[in-house]
Amino acid sequence: MNADAKSIEAAREPGLPTMSKPYVPPLPVGPRSHMRPVGFADPFRWLARGLKDLRHHPGIALFYGLCFWGMAQVLALVFKHKPEYTLTLISGCLLVGPFLAMGLYEVSRKREQGEVPDMASSLICWDQHIKSMAMLILVLMVLELLWGRASLVVFAVFFNTGMPSTTGVIEAVFNPQNIEFLMVYLVVGGVFAALVYGLSVVSIPMILDRDTDAILAVITSMRVVFSHPGVMLLWGLLLSVLVLAALWPWALGIIMVGPWLGHASWHAYRGCVEWQENPEEAVTLGSSN
């Protein structure tokens, strides 16, 4: 051991571990995302861009619109003749619906990249993301089952006029004796609906766009909601109002409104989440830079 090495060894504090090279933290792996600043006018811009996508590819939109309409008709028939199976069928729709919506996201994604969308690619775009999609859909189905169980408990505890038949359910629910039930039911349903909305508002298009895992997609989706609660509340209200309006009469409006909102949801994701490809320039979630 030479003199320089001896002096370095003597300078080290006793009991501390030694390393041949100084520790350098690893660079972040892959691109990072951060929240774009959005305002209350942005949801209307998303709707306008979604309508433009629909007009450019009406044939693809018609196919998905008819699929949404068919799902609505089956739900209506089951509720009318076998209401006890309605919740089970809704869970099935939660399994099929995201795959249909993903096809619409793929059309908007390709248009945004300057490519020409086609029906075949929109139908199989989920194939490479099946693991993440399956995990996300499983979470949504569990929430749906919990929602159904909570609804049954609310009916059992607060409903005062007996379980309604399918022909008189509206009259029974809005009976003055059931005002307390109606208020509790709306609160419980609103909590579950808000949770499902928060988990999925940008998670599915994010999985398609970046092939992220379901956990990261869900976390990003919730952070979008918490970063812009007012704008996201407006967006959720617009979605709800348009869907409810499309269901009357005979759910014919869903043929156009369903694909329109699917395209618009892609633009909502792109409007809320931005990706930095260079890790050294990446900023954290919640930044407006």
Side-chain angles (χ1 to χ4, degrees):
M1 184 178 294
N2 56 35
D4 292 338
K6 288 182 179 180
S7 61
I8 294 174
E9 187 69 24
R12 290 174 177 162
E13 296 183 17
L16 292 180
T18 59
M19 300 179 63
S20 58
K21 295 182 179 180
Y23 171 73
V24 178
L27 292 174
V29 178
R32 289 184 177 182
S33 58
H34 69 275
M35 304 294 101
R36 294 180 185 268
V38 296
F40 286 98
D42 286 296
F44 300 97
R45 295 191 184 99
W46 303 334
L47 289 173
R49 292 168 185 167
L51 187 60
K52 185 180 294 186
D53 290 345
L54 186 148
R55 288 175 174 172
H56 276 82
H57 301 280
I60 297 177
L62 178 62
F63 169 79
Y64 286 102
L66 290 173
C67 290
F68 291 134
W69 181 81
M71 291 169 62
Q73 295 304 306
V74 172
L75 276 173
L77 287 174
V78 171
F79 178 74
K80 183 177 181 180
H81 298 288
K82 293 287 184 181
E84 62 272 20
Y85 296 112
T86 303
L87 184 61
T88 302
L89 191 61
I90 289 175
S91 299
C93 290
L94 280 176
L95 181 63
V96 177
F99 288 100
L100 291 176
M102 212 169 192
L104 295 166
Y105 302 154
E106 176 68 4
V107 173
S108 295
R109 186 184 72 87
K110 282 199 166 187
R111 271 182 47 80
E112 191 177 274
Q113 294 179 346
E115 302 177 20
V116 179
D118 59 89
M119 179 66 75
S121 62
S122 72
L123 289 173
I124 62 173
C125 64
W126 52 267
D127 184 50
Q128 298 179 355
H129 316 283
I130 187 66
K131 291 183 179 180
S132 297
M133 285 295 297
M135 179 62 68
L136 180 59
I137 291 170
L138 178 62
V139 172
L140 295 179
M141 289 183 67
V142 170
L143 286 175
E144 179 66 28
L145 293 175
L146 292 174
W147 190 349
R149 180 63 62 181
S151 298
L152 290 177
V153 172
V154 172
F155 262 102
V157 174
F158 294 99
F159 207 79
N160 296 321
T161 58
M163 291 297 287
S165 64
T166 56
T167 57
V169 64
I170 301 298
E171 293 82 355
V173 167
F174 288 96
N175 188 305
Q177 300 182 42
N178 291 318
I179 294 299
E180 184 180 8
F181 155 78
L182 184 60
M183 294 176 63
V184 175
Y185 189 82
L186 289 176
V187 170
V188 173
V191 170
F192 278 97
L195 185 56
V196 171
Y197 171 70
L199 293 177
S200 59
V201 64
V202 302
S203 56
I204 298 176
M206 180 174 167
I207 290 173
L208 173 66
D209 186 33
R210 292 287 168 166
D211 196 27
T212 58
D213 61 88
I215 295 177
L216 179 59
V218 165
I219 291 174
T220 303
S221 186
M222 293 300 294
R223 298 194 73 165
V224 167
V225 173
F226 286 122
S227 296
H228 313 291
V231 176
M232 289 297 104
L233 177 60
L234 174 61
W235 180 234
L237 288 175
L238 288 173
L239 295 177
S240 301
V241 169
L242 289 171
V243 169
L244 289 176
L247 295 177
W248 184 267
W250 305 296
L252 291 175
I254 204 70
I255 296 176
M256 189 192 82
V257 172
W260 177 24
L261 297 183
H263 291 306
S265 296
W266 168 263
H267 293 290
Y269 154 70
R270 294 289 293 141
C272 292
V273 182
E274 183 178 15
W275 292 88
Q276 281 284 359
E277 302 296 342
N278 187 349
E280 296 180 355
E281 299 177 359
V283 294
T284 58
L285 285 170
S287 172
S288 58
N289 296 327

